[in-house]
CSV table of all heavy atoms in Angstrom, one decimal:
chain,number,residue,atom,x,y,z
A,44,ALA,N,17.0,24.8,-17.4
A,44,ALA,CA,16.0,24.2,-18.3
A,44,ALA,C,16.7,23.6,-19.6
A,44,ALA,O,16.3,22.5,-20.0
A,44,ALA,CB,15.0,25.3,-18.7
A,45,ALA,N,17.7,24.3,-20.1
A,45,ALA,CA,18.4,23.8,-21.2
A,45,ALA,C,19.2,22.5,-20.9
A,45,ALA,O,19.2,21.6,-21.7
A,45,ALA,CB,19.4,24.9,-21.7
A,46,SER,N,19.7,22.5,-19.7
A,46,SER,CA,20.5,21.2,-19.3
A,46,SER,C,19.5,20.1,-19.2
A,46,SER,O,19.8,19.0,-19.6
A,46,SER,CB,21.1,21.5,-17.9
A,46,SER,OG,22.1,22.5,-18.0
A,47,LEU,N,18.3,20.3,-18.6
A,47,LEU,CA,17.4,19.2,-18.5
A,47,LEU,C,16.9,18.7,-19.8
A,47,LEU,O,16.7,17.5,-20.1
A,47,LEU,CB,16.2,19.6,-17.6
A,47,LEU,CG,16.5,19.7,-16.1
A,47,LEU,CD1,15.3,20.3,-15.4
A,47,LEU,CD2,16.8,18.4,-15.5
A,48,ALA,N,16.6,19.7,-20.7
A,48,ALA,CA,16.2,19.3,-22.1
A,48,ALA,C,17.3,18.5,-22.8
A,48,ALA,O,17.0,17.6,-23.5
A,48,ALA,CB,15.8,20.6,-22.8
A,49,ALA,N,18.5,18.9,-22.6
A,49,ALA,CA,19.6,18.2,-23.2
A,49,ALA,C,19.8,16.8,-22.7
A,49,ALA,O,20.3,15.9,-23.3
A,49,ALA,CB,20.9,19.0,-23.1
A,50,ALA,N,19.5,16.7,-21.4
A,50,ALA,CA,19.8,15.4,-20.7
A,50,ALA,C,18.8,14.3,-21.2
A,50,ALA,O,19.1,13.1,-21.2
A,50,ALA,CB,19.7,15.6,-19.2
A,51,PHE,N,17.5,14.7,-21.5
A,51,PHE,CA,16.5,13.7,-21.8
A,51,PHE,C,15.8,14.0,-23.1
A,51,PHE,O,14.6,13.6,-23.2
A,51,PHE,CB,15.5,13.6,-20.6
A,51,PHE,CG,16.1,13.2,-19.3
A,51,PHE,CD1,16.3,14.2,-18.3
A,51,PHE,CD2,16.6,12.0,-19.2
A,51,PHE,CE1,16.9,13.8,-17.2
A,51,PHE,CE2,17.2,11.6,-18.0
A,51,PHE,CZ,17.4,12.5,-17.0
A,52,PRO,N,16.4,14.5,-24.1
A,52,PRO,CA,15.7,14.7,-25.4
A,52,PRO,C,15.2,13.5,-26.0
A,52,PRO,O,14.1,13.5,-26.6
A,52,PRO,CB,16.7,15.5,-26.2
A,52,PRO,CG,18.0,15.0,-25.8
A,52,PRO,CD,17.8,14.7,-24.3
A,53,ALA,N,15.9,12.4,-26.0
A,53,ALA,CA,15.6,11.2,-26.7
A,53,ALA,C,14.3,10.6,-26.1
A,53,ALA,O,13.5,10.0,-26.9
A,53,ALA,CB,16.7,10.2,-26.6
A,54,LEU,N,14.1,10.7,-24.8
A,54,LEU,CA,12.8,10.2,-24.2
A,54,LEU,C,11.6,10.8,-24.8
A,54,LEU,O,10.6,10.2,-25.1
A,54,LEU,CB,12.9,10.4,-22.7
A,54,LEU,CG,12.4,9.3,-21.9
A,54,LEU,CD1,13.7,8.7,-21.3
A,54,LEU,CD2,11.5,9.6,-20.9
A,55,ALA,N,11.7,12.1,-25.0
A,55,ALA,CA,10.5,12.9,-25.6
A,55,ALA,C,10.3,12.6,-27.1
A,55,ALA,O,9.2,12.6,-27.6
A,55,ALA,CB,10.7,14.3,-25.3
A,56,GLN,N,11.4,12.3,-27.8
A,56,GLN,CA,11.4,12.1,-29.2
A,56,GLN,C,11.2,10.7,-29.7
A,56,GLN,O,10.8,10.4,-30.8
A,56,GLN,CB,12.6,12.7,-29.8
A,56,GLN,CG,12.8,14.2,-29.6
A,56,GLN,CD,14.1,14.7,-30.0
A,56,GLN,OE1,14.9,14.0,-30.6
A,56,GLN,NE2,14.4,16.0,-29.8
A,57,ASP,N,11.6,9.7,-28.8
A,57,ASP,CA,11.6,8.3,-29.3
A,57,ASP,C,10.6,7.5,-28.4
A,57,ASP,O,10.8,7.3,-27.3
A,57,ASP,CB,13.0,7.7,-29.1
A,57,ASP,CG,13.1,6.4,-29.7
A,57,ASP,OD1,12.1,5.7,-29.9
A,57,ASP,OD2,14.3,6.0,-29.9
A,58,PRO,N,9.4,7.2,-29.1
A,58,PRO,CA,8.4,6.5,-28.3
A,58,PRO,C,8.9,5.1,-27.8
A,58,PRO,O,8.4,4.7,-26.7
A,58,PRO,CB,7.3,6.2,-29.3
A,58,PRO,CG,7.8,6.6,-30.6
A,58,PRO,CD,9.1,7.4,-30.4
A,59,ARG,N,9.9,4.5,-28.4
A,59,ARG,CA,10.4,3.2,-27.9
A,59,ARG,C,11.0,3.5,-26.5
A,59,ARG,O,10.8,2.7,-25.6
A,59,ARG,CB,11.5,2.7,-28.8
A,59,ARG,CG,11.1,2.2,-30.1
A,59,ARG,CD,12.2,1.9,-31.0
A,59,ARG,NE,13.2,3.0,-31.0
A,59,ARG,CZ,14.5,2.8,-31.1
A,59,ARG,NH1,15.1,1.6,-31.2
A,59,ARG,NH2,15.3,3.8,-31.0
A,60,LEU,N,11.8,4.6,-26.3
A,60,LEU,CA,12.4,4.9,-25.1
A,60,LEU,C,11.4,5.2,-24.0
A,60,LEU,O,11.5,4.8,-22.8
A,60,LEU,CB,13.4,6.0,-25.2
A,60,LEU,CG,14.6,5.7,-26.1
A,60,LEU,CD1,15.6,6.9,-26.1
A,60,LEU,CD2,15.3,4.5,-25.7
A,61,SER,N,10.3,5.9,-24.4
A,61,SER,CA,9.2,6.2,-23.5
A,61,SER,C,8.5,4.9,-23.0
A,61,SER,O,8.3,4.8,-21.8
A,61,SER,CB,8.2,7.1,-24.1
A,61,SER,OG,8.8,8.4,-24.4
A,62,GLU,N,8.3,4.0,-23.9
A,62,GLU,CA,7.6,2.7,-23.5
A,62,GLU,C,8.6,1.9,-22.6
A,62,GLU,O,8.1,1.4,-21.6
A,62,GLU,CB,7.4,1.9,-24.8
A,62,GLU,CG,6.3,2.5,-25.7
A,62,GLU,CD,6.2,1.7,-27.0
A,62,GLU,OE1,6.7,0.6,-27.1
A,62,GLU,OE2,5.6,2.3,-28.0
A,63,ALA,N,9.8,1.9,-23.0
A,63,ALA,CA,10.8,1.1,-22.1
A,63,ALA,C,10.9,1.7,-20.8
A,63,ALA,O,11.0,1.0,-19.7
A,63,ALA,CB,12.2,1.1,-22.8
A,64,HIS,N,10.9,3.1,-20.7
A,64,HIS,CA,11.0,3.8,-19.4
A,64,HIS,C,9.8,3.4,-18.5
A,64,HIS,O,10.0,3.1,-17.4
A,64,HIS,CB,11.1,5.3,-19.7
A,64,HIS,CG,11.1,6.1,-18.4
A,64,HIS,ND1,9.9,6.7,-18.0
A,64,HIS,CD2,12.0,6.5,-17.6
A,64,HIS,CE1,10.2,7.3,-16.9
A,64,HIS,NE2,11.5,7.2,-16.6
A,65,GLY,N,8.6,3.4,-19.1
A,65,GLY,CA,7.4,3.1,-18.3
A,65,GLY,C,7.5,1.7,-17.8
A,65,GLY,O,7.2,1.4,-16.7
A,66,ALA,N,7.9,0.7,-18.7
A,66,ALA,CA,8.0,-0.7,-18.3
A,66,ALA,C,9.1,-0.8,-17.2
A,66,ALA,O,8.9,-1.6,-16.2
A,66,ALA,CB,8.3,-1.6,-19.5
A,67,GLY,N,10.2,-0.2,-17.3
A,67,GLY,CA,11.2,-0.3,-16.3
A,67,GLY,C,10.8,0.3,-15.0
A,67,GLY,O,11.1,-0.3,-13.9
A,68,MET,N,10.1,1.4,-15.0
A,68,MET,CA,9.6,2.0,-13.7
A,68,MET,C,8.6,1.1,-13.0
A,68,MET,O,8.6,1.0,-11.8
A,68,MET,CB,9.1,3.4,-14.0
A,68,MET,CG,10.1,4.4,-14.5
A,68,MET,SD,11.6,4.6,-13.5
A,68,MET,CE,10.9,5.3,-12.0
Side-chain angles (χ1 to χ4, degrees):
S46 296
L47 289 172
F51 301 108
L54 224 105
Q56 297 172 4
D57 189 338
R59 294 172 311 148
L60 295 183
S61 294
E62 291 170 20
H64 176 263
M68 296 306 292

